[in-house]
Amino acid sequence: MRKFALLVGAVLTLTLGLLTPAIAVTPGALTPAAASANCQAFFGVGAGPEPLSACQWDMRAIGVGAASYANATGDGVDVGVIDGGVDFTHPDLVGNIDVARSCSFIFSTTPTADPREVANGDCSNKAAVQDLQGHGTHVSSTIAGRVNGVGIAGVAPKAKIVAIKACTIMGFCFADSVAAALRYAGDQRLDAVNLSLFADPWLYFCGNDAEQRAILADLRSAARYAQQRGVVVVAAAGNEAQDLGHPTTDTISPDWPPDTAVTREVRNNCRVTPAELPGVVTVSASGVTTLAGYSNTGGPVVDVTAPGGDAAQTPGTTFGRILAAWSSTDGTGQWEALAAAGRGVEDANGARWVWISGTSMASPHVAGVAALIRQLHPNWSPGAVAAQIRRTATPTACPAVWPADDVRQCTGGPSSTTFFGAGMVNALAATS
């Protein structure tokens, strides 16, 4: 989430002029062997099964591993990732991307777009789907990173990713692109879709404003269309450290055009989208020990929680963030900055992984679990899949100690709280 987003088996050729990664290791980047050794020492775990598995505390926290893979791997399931595209060349994803159905809904009129990612919904333009940043690749590998002896493993390592680009290189995910992407997911009758974003330009769309009301209605209609065609819609709760059940202030909207944001009061007639759209499975973020410091909360908005990472909960190290793949064609400078900060891993072939945090990182864990459930129960409705996700989550109690001056205060329990919903998503329980 911003606020820092050919045929299967065929050889993919894209004319981006960017797809051959530099083989020289980026200054500051760790090798997979060094990263693994550091994570083994920090977490007190052994190596494997993948080279970077020791760093994946997030997968251990939700019961992903040999036992869950014995039950389900996402085989035969299609998961849409509505985001900033995907790196078609990343070794953790090659073979797990449905290139034929991947599509860009960045339009000629979309602000902040790079011309290379504009396709106007023409799904024959595969080059436009290539991830020019890294967020979409990170999300995709958390869902469906392959078990192949390279990098990390995803929640559903045999699921297929359908990359649906609705976010620009600058991380803006404008509402018209998001709505078009949701309708496309419905047209394709995908099994699930992940949205680690909020729909720009408004953080909150409020019903007392005609323009915002119309945009909100369009997004609601698009989500309903997808759900009616069997799509389980999973979304991040957001990174603004707010209680969505009792909103008070929006200081960042509209975030486009630049310098037009105003501070305004918001109430329950205002909605963050897609997190607060009907029927959406909404996910808060947890760190290694408790709720992540940035995560939005709020009952009844939050359905479950999942690991999103929070370095403050593991002081002095980056390992409390979420490690997943990054694009070889990041043109924003983020890769170089993350590598210089010791938060990047690069192998001898130029494949990249980074540690980052956010509800963006939490949501794909749940989308991956939805894929596992869909493999086992292909005829279940989206509501039935969502109910299974909630029913099998590990109940998570309110923190014993929490700052009294935080606008987010945890209530409820033991089976449901405003911080964690039904609890920590559990891949093993959901598939047992």
Side-chain angles (χ1 to χ4, degrees), residues 146-325:
R146 299 168 61 208
V147 178
N148 62 349
V150 178
I152 64 163
V155 177
K158 291 188 178 180
K160 282 289 190 293
I161 295 295
V162 178
I164 311 175
K165 183 177 280 195
C167 304
T168 71
I169 187 173
M170 298 301 293
F172 285 85
C173 313
F174 288 98
D176 58 342
S177 292
V178 174
L182 280 166
R183 290 190 172 94
Y184 180 74
D187 289 339
Q188 296 297 311
R189 297 187 181 273
L190 302 183
D191 293 291
V193 69
N194 183 83
L195 297 104
S196 289
L197 57 89
F198 72 78
D200 296 292
W202 298 90
L203 172 60
Y204 287 90
F205 289 90
C206 296
N208 60 351
D209 177 274
E211 179 182 358
Q212 294 171 50
R213 186 168 63 247
I215 296 172
L216 178 60
D218 187 47
L219 287 164
R220 185 183 292 115
S221 172
R224 182 170 61 249
Y225 179 86
Q227 292 160 345
Q228 288 172 342
R229 283 150 184 78
V231 184
V232 181
V233 181
V234 181
N239 301 337
E240 291 74 38
Q242 295 186 5
D243 178 356
L244 299 182
H246 302 88
T248 58
T249 307
D250 177 7
T251 63
I252 66 173
S253 299
D255 59 10
W256 189 267
D259 302 319
T260 58
V262 296
T263 297
R264 58 179 183 150
E265 291 186 356
V266 289
R267 295 292 183 263
N268 280 325
N269 68 321
C270 303
R271 296 284 184 269
V272 174
T273 60
E276 294 190 86
L277 293 176
V280 170
V281 180
T282 302
V283 187
S284 67
S286 297
V288 171
T289 58
T290 189
L291 183 78
Y294 53 79
S295 181
N296 286 349
T297 64
V301 179
V302 171
D303 290 281
V304 290
T305 195
D310 188 346
Q313 296 179 22
T314 55
T317 175
T318 190
F319 304 139
R321 298 182 174 96
I322 305 300
L323 182 66

